[in-house]
Amino acid sequence: MKVNQIKIKKDMKVSELIEEFDGSGVLGSGRVSRACNLLAKMIADEDTNVFMSLGGPLVPGGLRFVISDMIKNGQVNLIVSSGANITHDLLESFGGSHYRDVGGDDEELNSQGIGRIADVYTSSEDFEIFEKEITKIFEKIASEKKVVSIQELLYEVGLLIDDENSILANAARNNVPIFAPGLIDSMFGLQLWMFNQDHDFTVDAVKDMHYLSDIVFNSEKVGGILLGGGLTKHYTLASNLLKGGLDMAIQITMDRPETGSLSGAPLEEAKSWSKAKCGSDLATVIGDVTVIFPLILAGALDKLDSD
Amino acid sequence: MKVNQIKIKKDMKVSELIEEFDGSGVLGSGRVSRACNLLAKMIADEDTNVFMSLGGPLVPGGLRFVISDMIKNGQVNLIVSSGANITHDLLESFGGSHYRDVGGDDEELNSQGIGRIADVYTSSEDFEIFEKEITKIFEKIASEKKVVSIQELLYEVGLLIDDENSILANAARNNVPIFAPGLIDSMFGLQLWMFNQDHDFTVDAVKDMHYLSDIVFNSEKVGGILLGGGLTKHYTLASNLLKGGLDMAIQITMDRPETGSLSGAPLEEAKSWSKAKCGSDLATVIGDVTVIFPLILAGALDKLDSD
Amino acid sequence: MKVNQIKIKKDMKVSELIEEFDGSGVLGSGRVSRACNLLAKMIADEDTNVFMSLGGPLVPGGLRFVISDMIKNGQVNLIVSSGANITHDLLESFGGSHYRDVGGDDEELNSQGIGRIADVYTSSEDFEIFEKEITKIFEKIASEKKVVSIQELLYEVGLLIDDENSILANAARNNVPIFAPGLIDSMFGLQLWMFNQDHDFTVDAVKDMHYLSDIVFNSEKVGGILLGGGLTKHYTLASNLLKGGLDMAIQITMDRPETGSLSGAPLEEAKSWSKAKCGSDLATVIGDVTVIFPLILAGALDKLDSD
Amino acid sequence: MKVNQIKIKKDMKVSELIEEFDGSGVLGSGRVSRACNLLAKMIADEDTNVFMSLGGPLVPGGLRFVISDMIKNGQVNLIVSSGANITHDLLESFGGSHYRDVGGDDEELNSQGIGRIADVYTSSEDFEIFEKEITKIFEKIASEKKVVSIQELLYEVGLLIDDENSILANAARNNVPIFAPGLIDSMFGLQLWMFNQDHDFTVDAVKDMHYLSDIVFNSEKVGGILLGGGLTKHYTLASNLLKGGLDMAIQITMDRPETGSLSGAPLEEAKSWSKAKCGSDLATVIGDVTVIFPLILAGALDKLDSD
């Protein structure tokens, strides 16, 4: 099969660009088109439960509405998030922001109360508000429950957030469970611990596995959208282990495979572990999530349209 | 300044996606939008001569028409190419192709006469035709000239190619000079050497510098589009050394900066060498050229439209 | 200051090689020598508590004895591990192994019960033994405690392991606490959950923070050895937040900084967040942990000798 | 075959460290041990001509003596260098240096006449001396020859350099030819062009291929040491094309394979093109050349000893 040369023209739609990539089919552009096709298939298929993992600074990096909209539109059915993305989602719900074009070295930033994530900046004032607000929420929840799982806690928090753009709020209202096995490792987790010290409130680390495994067993098929690597990627894969693995998945990563770290591992490797089914449809794009995911999602939405 | 959250919707134009990236302005999407803006500015500015370097498998990877169209549309004024991209451009002009979805390990491919570039494949039959045709062309040129520079040779070859999609043909017809200081390191170079063995024909390695430096000195401003790294990137930067450096430039690369290799070096470093002007406008995108360049070009074309 | 050229000779000691790198002081070799010097300083300083994070496949990749020996020798005082490294440590204690030179594609491996981590292979038979043995251990522990933190659980497990090479066994016997905030995301976690379903046994996700923060507050100084990225790196950094950050740290990673993911973030960034102190001594090596850590450790041991 | 765990102890020799890596045999340490074994084999085998490619800032990065010593010791028989490594070798022979720990941003460096290569710095004063000295050398050579190939030119320059540490001087005196197909793209090339403008002196770009191909055809076997990527890597591989490819090779690179760029391509790919023989012995290490090459060379020298 021949590699078609890509044509670029004025007024091009994203889906037309992806079609050009599809015609070429090789190197990065081939990977992008295959991931886009697979994303569209996953979303369109009513029998496929879509699990999405959120690793890396997706909310600080501008993907908060993208994720919220997918929840609202029923395009994602389950989320596995880092504690950081949950913290940053709430930080915006409580009136905080993420900032850019700040500059200065890290010691200067520190003296100004500014935290840095590559070229994204946060303000300690926003975090102070976060701390007050999340503590109030913990108080409400703890007044009714003494033992919660992480997923239950995030659900209860989501119900108490009044923000149409919030990932947690939309997830709670749309019955999209959020799992966060490493939640404790975040500003949210830190506040939870502080709250814990003088309240009778236990967060069970194991309890969520039961609910998660029920969802997996009750899914006809499971598709994975693996954004970033680390714990959230692995947990999403591993949750499907008991049923033979994911039926289809895309991942976007900038990490390398050679060190053996899961973040950069090819999805094919998951087949050996039964974390992806033998015969499953898998696509990896090497690139920055904040570029590649909006690109393939915009392309996929048009494919849905045409179905 | 706040990071705006990206919104994705159906029927989105590429330029609308880039606008969303512009609103976010951080991480990879921020880099893409800045490179797109700079590309549009470079193309639109009549006083800026645009130099484009072609490193890596751009023609095999599907960017041949993209480059040819930019030449035809007057959007690029000078090219610095690897020998490989010239070889693969001519291979298509002589009726050959690039192939995909071939599979098999490298020893099997070898036995079938198939050369591999990641997931792009070539056929030895196509190369045999290339060898015959390029030799005929050398004969025509050598019958009239005994000493040529590389740029002159590529110009003469381009004039003899009848293919509306060819980079060489379009460059020759549109007075876009092609420099290729490492030309000898390619199948084109190999054929040139074989031809050389029994013909009185000298290719002068140094002569092009004079013409190139004249172009630089006669340019009001110079902009760089640096696709891939290596020799072609360095030569494009270094050619501007005598006039204090490039006035603006974008680069797209997947290489890392920490090893000190030029391919992954930040463009800022070029300022220390006067290869980019102090105060010049520079943007680096970390990503696969076959994805990122079509994306930012499509976005830039719409910006031209609106001017 | 001049870059000295590196000299290589026969019968060279690792510490002599590092001295050559020290004389050069630039690019990768400069990074290696700075990390080695800092590691030696950290280990030698009696007032510095050394925290080590274990991300990525360190045990499968051959670093199990290296870590155990550091515990035995009092060179590391606290560990933050992924669940996977704990699982693989126990897998070897229970008689299992890691394998190499297996070959075959991932679907073939799956049919043979072989799990793949890049070019390291595991056997399902070894995991079956792991499951039986760890369950017996859980039974012993649950017969005495109903609520444990993750650190307490790992301590109790370590005490029950009779293996002089085990990380968990040595840590328990040497009062080196092991934290594993993402423990649940591992085969260990999976077995814990299964055990949980029919036993009254709660693993508290938050409780460890209290003990960890006590250690931080009681440390004169804290040094970090950050192997691999992800959750374990962040938790190690963040645990020092309340006291203004780490006093010194080295990290070894192959991930990139530009995407904003913590795994590839420069340690300098941690200063903005008060996760590393302003003025702290920090060194990053870009490379494969299984090469770089043994190299700098061997170099550092000789520096200790000479003190 | 089992993965042995690595043991690190005091007073360890580099070759003992490599033996530990050999016992592990997986991930980065496995790659390092395989490359070390292959390097030793290549050097020890009298029937193997060793070709070494020098891409990236190897001389600025501290490997100048390493390369010179290998030439003196008869461990390398042919070099393919970038123009930059030749320039920087001569810059040191003419009394210049490379510098470290300079600091300042690139615009400040520019105003001080300091060029930056990652964290290596150069001085414009050293380059001024380089320009004067190399011009004198060109005058001597041009007074005797009117047309030279690049290899001949570098040989003549080498003979005129009186510096026991110089790569060029040692190569000339030890009959190790240096090829530099992209020579023109360097400060050496720039001076050559300037000299050219008022002297009757032609550098033939094609002529070297004849001599190089003779060497290849007269080699029983050819081994490759590919340091860095780009043109020099490709030329070294391609020079063996007509004889079916390299018999064995090692490469050290930090570039990725997925973009299709040759610099990051696995050596296996060269088999499809007959640039490495089917059945050839090939090893790739992902890492920084300034760390990995001294490491494996020190290890290999001890293996020679024991033979």
Side-chain angles (χ1 to χ4, degrees):
Chain A
M1 193 174 173
K2 291 189 185 178
V3 175
N4 290 334
Q5 296 290 331
I6 293 164
K7 290 283 279 183
I8 299 300
K9 54 183 176 59
K10 271 188 197 178
D11 283 324
M12 205 167 190
K13 286 172 61 184
V14 172
S15 50
E16 292 170 321
L17 177 65
I18 302 277
E19 254 172 73
E20 291 297 314
F21 289 172
D22 213 38
S24 164
V26 294
L27 304 182
S29 53
R31 289 171 181 265
V32 163
S33 75
R34 288 191 296 275
C36 178
N37 291 338
L38 194 43
L39 178 62
K41 181 180 154 189
M42 202 183 290
I43 293 174
D45 183 358
E46 307 244 323
D47 295 334
T48 298
N49 253 339
V50 178
F51 289 20
M52 183 186 241
S53 72
L54 308 180
L58 304 183
V59 171
L63 298 188
R64 186 176 183 238
F65 290 2
V66 171
I67 299 162
S68 289
D69 283 349
M70 289 186 76
I71 295 170
K72 287 186 213 174
N73 298 334
Q75 292 159 344
V76 59
N77 307 108
L78 184 152
I79 285 175
V80 179
S81 179
S82 65
N85 279 311
I86 288 163
T87 300
H88 288 271
D89 180 57
L90 292 171
L91 185 131
E92 294 224 352
S93 291
F94 297 149
S97 289
H98 295 89
Y99 307 91
R100 54 192 272 199
D101 303 321
V102 173
D105 75 24
D106 290 293
E107 303 207 354
E108 288 162 21
L109 294 173
N110 179 283
S111 71
Q112 296 162 38
I114 295 171
R116 184 170 75 86
I117 306 164
D119 60 356
V120 185
Y121 302 85
T122 62
S123 140
S124 57
E125 290 165 35
D126 292 344
F127 274 110
E128 282 160 28
I129 297 168
F130 167 81
E131 289 163 24
K132 273 184 218 153
E133 295 298 323
I134 195 67
T135 305
K136 284 188 216 163
I137 287 175
F138 289 156
E139 272 161 9
K140 281 190 202 155
I141 297 170
S143 70
E144 302 194 2
K145 301 198 175 182
K146 296 300 151 204
V147 182
V148 289
S149 76
I150 289 171
Q151 183 273 326
E152 287 165 352
L153 175 62
L154 295 175
Y155 173 75
E156 297 293 339
V157 172
L159 286 182
L160 294 168
I161 299 297
D162 184 24
D163 174 357
E164 60 171 340
N165 294 316
S166 162
I167 295 171
L168 264 77
N170 281 293
R173 284 166 183 79
N174 288 279
N175 295 315
V176 170
I178 300 180
F179 296 88
L183 179 69
I184 201 65
D185 176 42
S186 66
M187 296 303 268
F188 185 105
L190 188 67
Q191 294 307 311
L192 185 57
W193 166 63
M194 289 182 164
F195 178 78
N196 226 265
Q197 292 192 298
D198 47 16
H199 291 80
D200 172 24
F201 189 59
T202 304
V203 180
D204 187 323
V206 180
K207 206 177 160 190
D208 280 335
M209 295 281 280
H210 189 76
Y211 180 38
L212 177 51
S213 95
D214 277 357
I215 297 172
V216 171
F217 276 107
N218 291 323
S219 299
E220 184 100 5
K221 284 180 277 182
V222 179
I225 301 171
L226 307 172
L227 305 183
L231 186 78
T232 54
K233 173 182 170 185
H234 186 259
Y235 195 71
T236 308
L237 289 168
S239 67
N240 285 274
L241 181 59
L242 298 174
K243 213 190 155 191
L246 286 159
D247 295 271
M248 66 194 88
I250 61 170
Q251 75 170 337
I252 303 169
T253 182
M254 198 69 115
D255 299 336
R256 296 192 66 126
E258 294 91 350
T259 62
S261 170
L262 183 81
S263 300
L267 284 173
E268 290 293 319
E269 197 176 284
K271 288 180 176 176
S272 73
W273 295 97
S274 297
K275 292 171 188 168
K277 287 213 175 82
C278 290
S280 57
D281 210 348
L282 305 169
T284 294
V285 183
I286 312 296
D288 187 296
V289 177
T290 67
V291 175
I292 302 297
F293 191 61
L295 177 67
I296 65 174
L297 179 61
L301 292 184
D302 283 14
K303 285 178 199 286
L304 298 179
D305 203 20
S306 66
D307 283 354
Chain B
M1 193 174 172
K2 291 189 186 178
V3 175
N4 290 333
Q5 297 290 330
I6 293 164
K7 290 283 277 185
I8 299 300
K9 54 183 177 57
K10 272 189 194 177
D11 283 324
M12 207 167 189
K13 285 172 61 184
V14 172
S15 50
E16 293 170 320
L17 177 65
I18 303 277
E19 254 173 72
E20 291 298 314
F21 288 172
D22 214 37
S24 164
V26 295
L27 304 183
S29 53
R31 289 171 181 266
V32 163
S33 75
R34 288 192 295 277
C36 179
N37 291 338
L38 194 43
L39 179 62
K41 181 180 155 188
M42 201 184 290
I43 292 174
D45 183 358
E46 306 244 323
D47 295 334
T48 298
N49 252 339
V50 178
F51 289 20
M52 184 187 241
S53 73
L54 309 180
L58 304 183
V59 170
L63 298 188
R64 187 177 183 238
F65 291 0
V66 171
I67 299 162
S68 290
D69 283 349
M70 289 185 76
I71 295 169
K72 287 186 213 173
N73 297 334
Q75 293 160 344
V76 61
N77 307 108
L78 184 151
I79 284 174
V80 179
S81 178
S82 65
N85 279 311
I86 288 164
T87 300
H88 288 271
D89 179 58
L90 292 171
L91 185 130
E92 294 225 353
S93 290
F94 297 150
S97 288
H98 296 89
Y99 307 91
R100 54 192 274 199
D101 303 322
V102 173
D105 75 24
D106 289 294
E107 303 207 354
E108 288 162 20
L109 293 174
N110 179 283
S111 71
Q112 295 162 39
I114 295 171
R116 184 171 73 86
I117 304 165
D119 61 356
V120 185
Y121 302 84
T122 62
S123 141
S124 56
E125 289 165 35
D126 291 344
F127 274 109
E128 282 160 27
I129 297 168
F130 167 81
E131 289 164 23
K132 273 183 219 154
E133 295 298 323
I134 196 67
T135 305
K136 284 188 215 162
I137 287 175
F138 289 157
E139 272 163 8
K140 281 189 203 157
I141 296 170
S143 69
E144 301 194 4
K145 301 197 175 183
K146 296 298 153 207
V147 182
V148 289
S149 75
I150 289 171
Q151 182 273 323
E152 288 166 351
L153 175 62
L154 295 175
Y155 173 75
E156 296 293 340
V157 173
L159 285 183
L160 293 168
I161 299 297
D162 184 26
D163 174 357
E164 60 171 342
N165 294 315
S166 162
I167 295 171
L168 265 77
N170 282 293
R173 284 164 183 79
N174 288 278
N175 296 315
V176 170
I178 300 179
F179 295 89
L183 180 69
I184 200 65
D185 177 42
S186 66
M187 296 303 268
F188 185 106
L190 188 66
Q191 294 308 311
L192 185 58
W193 165 62
M194 289 181 164
F195 178 78
N196 227 267
Q197 293 191 298
D198 47 17
H199 291 80
D200 173 24
F201 188 59
T202 304
V203 179
D204 187 322
V206 180
K207 206 176 160 192
D208 280 336
M209 296 280 281
H210 190 76
Y211 180 39
L212 177 52
S213 96
D214 278 356
I215 297 172
V216 171
F217 276 106
N218 290 323
S219 299
E220 185 99 5
K221 284 180 278 182
V222 178
I225 301 171
L226 306 172
L227 305 183
L231 186 78
T232 54
K233 174 183 170 184
H234 187 259
Y235 195 71
T236 308
L237 289 169
S239 67
N240 286 274
L241 181 59
L242 298 174
K243 213 189 156 193
L246 285 159
D247 295 271
M248 65 194 87
I250 61 170
Q251 74 171 338
I252 303 168
T253 181
M254 198 69 115
D255 298 337
R256 296 192 68 125
E258 295 90 352
T259 62
S261 169
L262 183 82
S263 300
L267 284 172
E268 290 293 318
E269 197 177 283
K271 288 181 177 177
S272 74
W273 295 96
S274 296
K275 292 172 188 168
K277 286 212 176 81
C278 290
S280 58
D281 210 347
L282 305 169
T284 294
V285 183
I286 312 296
D288 187 297
V289 178
T290 66
V291 175
I292 302 297
F293 190 61
L295 177 67
I296 65 173
L297 180 61
L301 292 184
D302 283 15
K303 284 176 200 287
L304 298 178
D305 203 21
S306 67
D307 282 354
Chain C
M1 193 174 174
K2 291 189 186 178
V3 175
N4 291 332
Q5 296 289 331
I6 294 164
K7 290 284 278 184
I8 299 301
K9 54 184 176 59
K10 272 188 193 178
D11 283 325
M12 205 165 190
K13 286 173 59 186
V14 172
S15 49
E16 293 170 321
L17 178 65
I18 302 277
E19 254 172 73
E20 291 297 314
F21 289 171
D22 214 37
S24 164
V26 295
L27 304 182
S29 52
R31 289 171 180 266
V32 163
S33 75
R34 288 191 296 276
C36 178
N37 292 339
L38 195 43
L39 178 61
K41 182 179 154 189
M42 202 183 291
I43 292 174
D45 184 357
E46 306 244 324
D47 295 334
T48 297
N49 253 338
V50 178
F51 289 21
M52 183 187 241
S53 72
L54 309 179
L58 304 182
V59 171
L63 298 188
R64 188 177 181 239
F65 290 2
V66 172
I67 299 162
S68 289
D69 283 349
M70 290 186 76
I71 296 170
K72 287 186 211 172
N73 298 333
Q75 294 160 344
V76 60
N77 307 108
L78 183 152
I79 284 174
V80 179
S81 178
S82 66
N85 279 310
I86 288 164
T87 300
H88 288 272
D89 179 59
L90 293 171
L91 185 131
E92 294 224 354
S93 291
F94 297 149
S97 290
H98 296 89
Y99 307 91
R100 53 191 273 201
D101 303 321
V102 173
D105 75 25
D106 290 294
E107 304 208 353
E108 286 162 23
L109 294 173
N110 179 284
S111 72
Q112 295 163 39
I114 295 172
R116 183 171 74 87
I117 305 165
D119 59 356
V120 185
Y121 301 85
T122 61
S123 138
S124 56
E125 289 165 35
D126 291 344
F127 274 110
E128 281 160 28
I129 296 167
F130 167 81
E131 290 164 22
K132 273 183 219 154
E133 295 298 323
I134 196 67
T135 305
K136 286 188 214 160
I137 288 175
F138 289 156
E139 272 162 8
K140 282 190 202 155
I141 296 169
S143 69
E144 301 193 5
K145 300 198 177 185
K146 295 300 151 207
V147 182
V148 290
S149 76
I150 288 171
Q151 183 273 325
E152 288 166 351
L153 175 63
L154 295 175
Y155 173 75
E156 297 292 339
V157 172
L159 286 183
L160 294 167
I161 298 296
D162 184 24
D163 173 358
E164 60 171 340
N165 295 316
S166 161
I167 295 171
L168 263 78
N170 282 293
R173 284 163 184 79
N174 289 277
N175 295 315
V176 171
I178 300 179
F179 296 88
L183 180 68
I184 200 65
D185 177 42
S186 66
M187 295 304 268
F188 185 105
L190 188 66
Q191 294 306 312
L192 186 57
W193 166 63
M194 288 181 165
F195 178 78
N196 227 266
Q197 292 192 299
D198 46 17
H199 291 80
D200 173 24
F201 189 58
T202 302
V203 180
D204 187 322
V206 179
K207 207 177 160 190
D208 280 335
M209 296 281 280
H210 189 76
Y211 180 39
L212 176 52
S213 96
D214 277 356
I215 297 172
V216 171
F217 275 106
N218 291 323
S219 300
E220 185 99 5
K221 284 179 277 182
V222 178
I225 301 172
L226 307 172
L227 306 183
L231 186 77
T232 56
K233 173 182 171 185
H234 187 259
Y235 196 70
T236 308
L237 290 169
S239 68
N240 285 274
L241 181 59
L242 297 174
K243 213 189 157 194
L246 287 158
D247 295 272
M248 66 194 88
I250 61 168
Q251 74 170 338
I252 303 169
T253 181
M254 197 69 115
D255 298 336
R256 297 192 67 126
E258 296 89 350
T259 61
S261 169
L262 183 81
S263 299
L267 284 172
E268 289 295 317
E269 197 177 284
K271 289 181 175 176
S272 74
W273 295 96
S274 296
K275 292 171 188 168
K277 287 214 175 80
C278 290
S280 58
D281 211 348
L282 305 169
T284 294
V285 183
I286 313 295
D288 187 298
V289 177
T290 66
V291 175
I292 302 298
F293 191 61
L295 177 67
I296 65 173
L297 180 61
L301 292 184
D302 282 14
K303 283 175 201 285
L304 298 179
D305 203 24
S306 67
D307 282 354
Chain D
M1 192 174 175
K2 289 188 186 179
V3 175
N4 290 334
Q5 296 289 330
I6 293 164
K7 289 285 277 185
I8 299 300
K9 55 184 177 58
K10 271 189 196 179
D11 284 324
M12 204 166 191
K13 286 174 58 186
V14 173
S15 50
E16 293 170 321
L17 178 64
I18 302 276
E19 254 172 72
E20 291 297 316
F21 289 172
D22 214 37
S24 164
V26 294
L27 304 183
S29 53
R31 289 171 180 265
V32 163
S33 76
R34 288 191 295 275
C36 178
N37 292 338
L38 195 43
L39 179 61
K41 182 180 153 188
M42 202 183 292
I43 292 174
D45 184 357
E46 306 244 324
D47 295 334
T48 298
N49 253 338
V50 178
F51 289 20
M52 184 187 241
S53 72
L54 308 180
L58 304 183
V59 170
L63 298 188
R64 189 177 180 240
F65 291 2
V66 171
I67 299 162
S68 289
D69 283 349
M70 290 186 75
I71 295 170
K72 286 185 212 173
N73 298 334
Q75 292 159 346
V76 60
N77 307 109
L78 184 151
I79 284 174
V80 180
S81 178
S82 66
N85 279 309
I86 288 164
T87 299
H88 288 271
D89 178 59
L90 292 171
L91 185 131
E92 295 225 352
S93 290
F94 298 149
S97 290
H98 295 89
Y99 307 91
R100 52 192 271 201
D101 303 321
V102 174
D105 76 23
D106 289 293
E107 302 208 354
E108 287 162 23
L109 294 173
N110 180 283
S111 71
Q112 295 162 40
I114 295 171
R116 184 171 73 86
I117 304 165
D119 60 356
V120 185
Y121 301 85
T122 62
S123 140
S124 57
E125 290 165 34
D126 291 345
F127 274 109
E128 281 159 27
I129 296 168
F130 166 82
E131 289 164 22
K132 273 184 218 150
E133 295 299 323
I134 196 66
T135 305
K136 285 188 216 162
I137 287 175
F138 290 157
E139 272 162 9
K140 281 190 203 156
I141 297 170
S143 70
E144 301 194 4
K145 301 198 176 184
K146 296 300 152 206
V147 182
V148 290
S149 76
I150 288 171
Q151 183 273 325
E152 288 166 351
L153 175 63
L154 295 175
Y155 173 75
E156 297 292 340
V157 172
L159 286 183
L160 294 168
I161 298 296
D162 184 25
D163 174 358
E164 60 171 341
N165 294 316
S166 162
I167 295 171
L168 264 77
N170 282 293
R173 283 164 182 79
N174 288 279
N175 294 315
V176 171
I178 300 179
F179 295 89
L183 179 69
I184 200 64
D185 177 43
S186 66
M187 296 303 268
F188 185 105
L190 188 66
Q191 293 308 311
L192 186 57
W193 166 63
M194 288 181 166
F195 178 79
N196 226 267
Q197 292 191 298
D198 46 17
H199 291 80
D200 174 23
F201 189 59
T202 302
V203 180
D204 187 321
V206 179
K207 208 177 159 190
D208 280 336
M209 296 279 281
H210 190 75
Y211 180 39
L212 177 52
S213 95
D214 277 357
I215 297 172
V216 171
F217 276 106
N218 291 322
S219 301
E220 185 99 4
K221 283 179 277 182
V222 178
I225 301 172
L226 307 172
L227 305 184
L231 187 77
T232 56
K233 173 182 171 185
H234 187 259
Y235 195 70
T236 308
L237 289 169
S239 68
N240 285 274
L241 180 60
L242 297 174
K243 211 188 157 195
L246 286 158
D247 295 272
M248 65 195 88
I250 61 168
Q251 76 170 337
I252 303 169
T253 181
M254 198 69 116
D255 298 335
R256 297 191 68 126
E258 295 90 349
T259 63
S261 170
L262 184 81
S263 300
L267 284 172
E268 289 294 318
E269 196 177 285
K271 289 181 176 176
S272 74
W273 295 96
S274 296
K275 292 170 187 169
K277 287 213 175 81
C278 289
S280 58
D281 210 349
L282 305 169
T284 293
V285 183
I286 312 296
D288 186 298
V289 177
T290 66
V291 175
I292 302 297
F293 191 61
L295 177 67
I296 64 173
L297 180 61
L301 292 183
D302 282 15
K303 283 176 201 285
L304 296 179
D305 203 21
S306 66
D307 281 354

